[in-house]
């Protein structure tokens, strides 16, 4: 399946408990079709004390969100948009379907 959301894109969560939250995509897992969005879908996780974290305790982390629950934010209008692909000047580029601008 072609993933239209890439690392570094600004997205809005459109479904689920964190609906309406916005953030930048940190990583994308192509096998599971999930992405981690900065500052969204925070979960509390218990961590054992280790050399890296000698205190241990409860840590807040971002959890992955399914790609279908994310929508790209158009840089021009600030609203969500769909992504299209086309060739411009001999190169394949992503563009916003709302504003027809190259992403």
């Amino acid at each position: 399946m072609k993933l239209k959301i890439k690392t570094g894109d600004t997205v809005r969560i459109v479904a689920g408990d964190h609906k309406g939250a916005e953030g930048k995509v940190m990583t994308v897992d192509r096998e599971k079709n999930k992405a981690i969005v900065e500052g969204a879908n925070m979960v509390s996780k218990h961590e054992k004390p280790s050399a890296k974290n000698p205190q241990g305790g409860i840590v807040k982390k971002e959890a992955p969100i399914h790609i279908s629950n994310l929508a790209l934010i158009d840089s021009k209008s600030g609203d969500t948009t769909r992504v299209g692909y086309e060739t411009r000047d001999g190169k394949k580029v992503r563009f916003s379907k709302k504003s027809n601008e190259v992403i």
Side-chain angles (χ1 to χ4, degrees):
M1 184 173 117
K2 179 74 175 169
L3 299 182
K4 301 198 175 187
I5 293 178
K6 310 274 184 206
T7 303
D9 287 345
T10 305
V11 294
R12 181 176 296 145
I13 300 174
V14 295
D17 293 338
H18 303 280
K19 182 177 180 177
E22 296 179 8
K24 198 165 243 182
V25 176
M26 294 170 25
T27 59
V28 176
D29 185 355
R30 296 181 60 92
E31 286 81 37
K32 295 181 182 177
N33 289 332
K34 294 190 177 208
I36 295 179
V37 180
E38 186 175 31
N41 200 22
M42 299 294 284
V43 294
S44 298
K45 182 169 171 40
H46 179 268
E47 285 198 357
K48 260 173 105 171
S50 63
K52 185 178 176 185
N53 185 7
Q55 181 92 22
I58 298 171
V59 178
K60 291 256 186 198
K61 295 176 74 171
E62 289 101 350
I65 304 169
H66 200 270
I67 293 288
S68 65
N69 295 335
L70 301 176
L72 189 73
I73 295 178
D74 188 15
S75 58
K76 191 173 185 181
S77 67
D79 200 15
T80 57
T81 183
R82 293 179 296 141
V83 178
Y85 287 89
E86 67 182 13
T87 52
R88 294 185 184 177
D89 301 325
K91 286 188 172 182
K92 185 177 177 182
V93 294
R94 290 192 314 156
F95 71 97
S96 165
K97 292 221 176 179
K98 265 194 183 157
S99 64
N100 208 19
E101 258 187 26
V102 175
I103 300 173

